[in-house]
Amino acid sequence: MIQFKLLGPLQLHVHGKVVDLGPPRQCSLLAALLVDSGRPLTIDTLIDRVWGDSPPVAARDAVYTYVARLRGLLTEATAGTGGPPVQVNRGSGGYMLSTPPDSVDLWHFMDLVDRARAADIDDPDRAAQLAAGLNLWNGSAMTGLDSEWARRLGESLHRLKHEVTADWADAEIRRGNHSLVINRLHTALLEEPLVEGLHERLIRAYFLNGETALALRQFELARRMIADELGADPSPGMRELHSRILRGDLPELDTPVHPTVNVRSDSDGHRAHALTLAVAPDTLPLAPLGFSGRDAELATLTGMLTDDPAPRPVLVTGGAGVGKTALVLQAADCLRDDFPGGLLYADLADEPSTTPEMVLGRLLTALGTPADAMPSGLAERVNLYRARLARRRVLVILDNAATEAQIIPLLPTGSSSTALITSRFALGLTTVRTFVLHELSRTQGLQMLVATVGRARVLPEWEDAGIVADHCSGIPLALRAVACRMTARPHWTFARMLARISDEQRRLELVSYQSLDMRASLDLTFEQLDTTAATLFRELGRQAPSGADFIAPDQPGLSPDELEDAMDRLVDAYLLSEVGRDDTDRALYRMLDIHRIYAKHLGD
């Protein structure tokens, strides 16, 4: 007898004996074929399932090698079993594994669930079929397979298992087997303590078994857990059940509604399922090309989210164009394996479509919430969003935040999911850690120029290129604009660029190129300033020295405290830096040349 097991560690059992399936990548390839057994898979699909976005150069050769080994292994292991042979064949559509449908536990499970859900609600076989399906599980699905695809599929199957457990509990409660339900749900909730549907069935089973006190105790336990982990209230269904128990009413049994599992007939007339399982959402935009010079910052940021099993959200702040979004997107890409529940992205730039309600709607849609089930109010969307994230380990990117009010409704709660936030302002969020991203050093700026323009042009003019980087004030956006301008003009030398960018009248023009607009980026920051801070910033453009420290200039109509507060607001917007105190204990400040030139032009 041949049995392939995917609902737990990947295994092949032949007459009860476990067969060694080879190295991990070979096992991943076998799992990829088993999930779609009887259907051809292209080599590109297999490579994606085994290696994800980082396949080796020789991935195709590795697929050929693994397939050859699997053919020999399966032929030897299944010889003499008396059943149909297990084969890996190649056709025009790719590689296909042929094995008896009932030999793969995943397909047996799906078939049992399909039959149970298609049966009448009071059919006595319904509970038996669901229980038989659940008994096929041996831990977490696809364990031991080191691929992003396997982890995502395993997570989807895990959620399906708990849906089936809830179906089974409903069926047994209808049959009056309340004690059986109580015992099994206690075990299921040890594995997934935040599944409200299982708590609800356990509460119902306690009450119908005559144990009202235990039912109320279970509700209170669930309520506290949901509040502590999710910062939310129990679902309306649980609250209604609680009210009925307090009134002594018999809780109603809901009729389960599930999307049916698609069933097709293949060319041989066998029943087969079109397995459609939700994969982890990934809505990240592409990270900017030419990312370089930030190795230390990238290591620090990723470490903040991996050193702690329950990481707090991190706020990445810094001035306009300093590369906050590029760093965060690069970090998120590096952390894919640490957040198998998905990667979500929301741009919070101030537009009518970026209210918390609208952003939550887009995030909930990405998490699989259908339009007809989308709550209308902010509080309801927040509760649903946090409940969805509590069941997954998701990294949420909140880009271009301007205020604390934008962020707070979008923060995950609990210990599983977390957030990376970017803002060009120093925000006062006590529940997050702050990572300040500074401008690049000359060496880092040269690395960025080399990455874009190329060594052949930068190395011969190393000193001139370094001074060009200095004139960009270490701001990556300005450096990228200069690098792209140089790339578009291969006949230009860095000496020529230096002669032009040294002229402050032309510098803002040269540090912008097409969509890389340094002036527009600074405009976004300046427009958020209050009138007093904006006026002071313009004045600093006229008075602040280049590359030297200075004290706050006197401003008619402002007291010393008001002047210091206005200077602090410019510091918070990263348009100014406080660098120390003078001999009379007055604050010393410094401006980047690009900021000073921009402020001066505002006053023209």
Side-chain angles (χ1 to χ4, degrees), residues 356-485:
E357 293 93 334
M358 298 293 288
V359 174
L360 281 167
R362 291 195 291 272
L363 294 175
L364 284 168
T365 298
L367 289 167
T369 304
D372 58 359
M374 185 71 67
S376 58
L378 175 60
E380 291 80 7
R381 289 191 179 188
V382 169
N383 288 342
L384 179 59
Y385 168 69
R386 289 176 174 168
R388 289 288 172 89
L389 292 187
R391 302 186 182 101
R392 313 179 183 200
R393 188 169 176 82
V394 175
L395 179 61
V396 183
I397 310 300
L398 303 175
D399 201 12
N400 294 314
T403 66
E404 294 90 342
Q406 278 184 305
I407 300 170
I408 291 172
L410 307 177
L411 290 178
T413 56
S415 59
S416 296
S417 298
T418 192
L420 266 175
I421 309 150
T422 72
S423 179
R424 56 182 66 207
F425 301 98
L427 303 178
L429 288 164
T430 59
T431 58
V432 306
R433 291 182 290 176
T434 298
F435 179 87
V436 180
L437 188 62
H438 298 287
E439 291 74 28
L440 297 172
S441 65
R442 175 187 277 202
T443 299
Q444 292 172 310
L446 283 165
Q447 289 177 0
M448 179 172 281
L449 292 176
V450 167
T452 306
V453 182
R455 290 181 178 275
R457 295 178 67 187
V458 177
L459 292 183
E461 297 187 274
W462 190 255
E463 186 59 31
D464 285 346
I467 300 173
V468 168
D470 291 342
H471 282 320
C472 292
S473 298
I475 300 174
L477 177 61
L479 281 159
R480 286 180 60 210
V482 167
C484 289
R485 189 180 294 274

Side-chain angles (χ1 to χ4, degrees), residues 291 293-307 327 330-331 334-335 435 437:
F291 181 87
R294 292 292 197 189
D295 292 346
E297 292 90 340
L298 182 62
T300 300
L301 184 57
T302 54
M304 293 173 77
L305 293 171
T306 55
D307 291 345
L327 178 65
Q330 195 73 24
C334 294
L335 292 169
F435 179 87
L437 188 62

Side-chain angles (χ1 to χ4, degrees), residues 102-298:
D102 58 355
S103 67
V104 182
D105 64 352
L106 171 59
W107 291 109
H108 191 192
F109 171 73
M110 296 297 293
D111 186 64
L112 288 166
V113 171
D114 181 33
R115 292 175 185 273
R117 288 179 171 177
D120 184 77
I121 191 67
D122 293 315
D123 190 325
D125 290 336
R126 180 184 176 88
Q129 289 172 333
L130 293 171
L134 292 170
N135 288 336
L136 294 172
W137 285 74
N138 180 31
S140 299
M142 316 282 279
T143 52
L145 300 182
D146 185 21
S147 77
E148 182 181 357
W149 167 81
R151 283 189 290 275
R152 290 184 178 185
L153 179 59
E155 185 187 55
S156 294
L157 289 169
H158 185 71
R159 293 195 297 272
L160 178 60
K161 176 187 177 183
H162 287 291
E163 291 177 10
V164 174
T165 303
D167 287 352
W168 169 84
D170 287 339
E172 291 292 5
I173 288 173
R174 286 180 178 278
R175 299 175 65 196
N177 294 329
H178 309 130
S179 296
L180 179 64
V181 171
I182 291 168
N183 292 333
R184 185 153 195 166
L185 289 186
H186 268 299
T187 301
L189 284 167
L190 289 175
E191 180 182 352
E192 195 72 52
L194 290 172
V195 179
E196 287 190 59
L198 299 187
H199 280 290
E200 186 174 341
R201 270 91 178 166
L202 181 54
I203 294 166
R204 192 189 307 273
Y206 269 134
F207 181 71
L208 294 174
N209 204 43
E211 299 174 277
T212 302
L214 288 178
L216 294 172
R217 178 182 172 187
Q218 185 64 33
F219 174 83
E220 184 60 23
L221 176 67
R223 186 194 66 77
R224 289 181 181 177
M225 191 177 303
I226 292 166
D228 291 343
E229 295 296 326
L230 309 182
D233 295 324
S235 66
M238 275 191 66
R239 296 199 300 271
E240 172 62 22
L241 175 60
H242 181 241
S243 298
R244 282 180 171 272
I245 292 172
L246 291 175
R247 295 195 305 266
D249 293 346
L250 185 67
E252 294 179 352
L253 288 173
D254 298 328
T255 301
V257 178
H258 300 286
T260 57
V261 178
N262 294 327
V263 178
R264 63 177 173 84
S265 294
D266 60 22
S267 56
D268 296 325
H270 298 298
R271 297 176 74 247
H273 300 283
L275 179 61
T276 304
L277 295 170
V279 298
D282 185 344
T283 62
L284 290 189
L286 288 175
L289 299 177
F291 181 87
S292 61
R294 292 292 197 189
D295 292 346
E297 292 90 340
L298 182 62

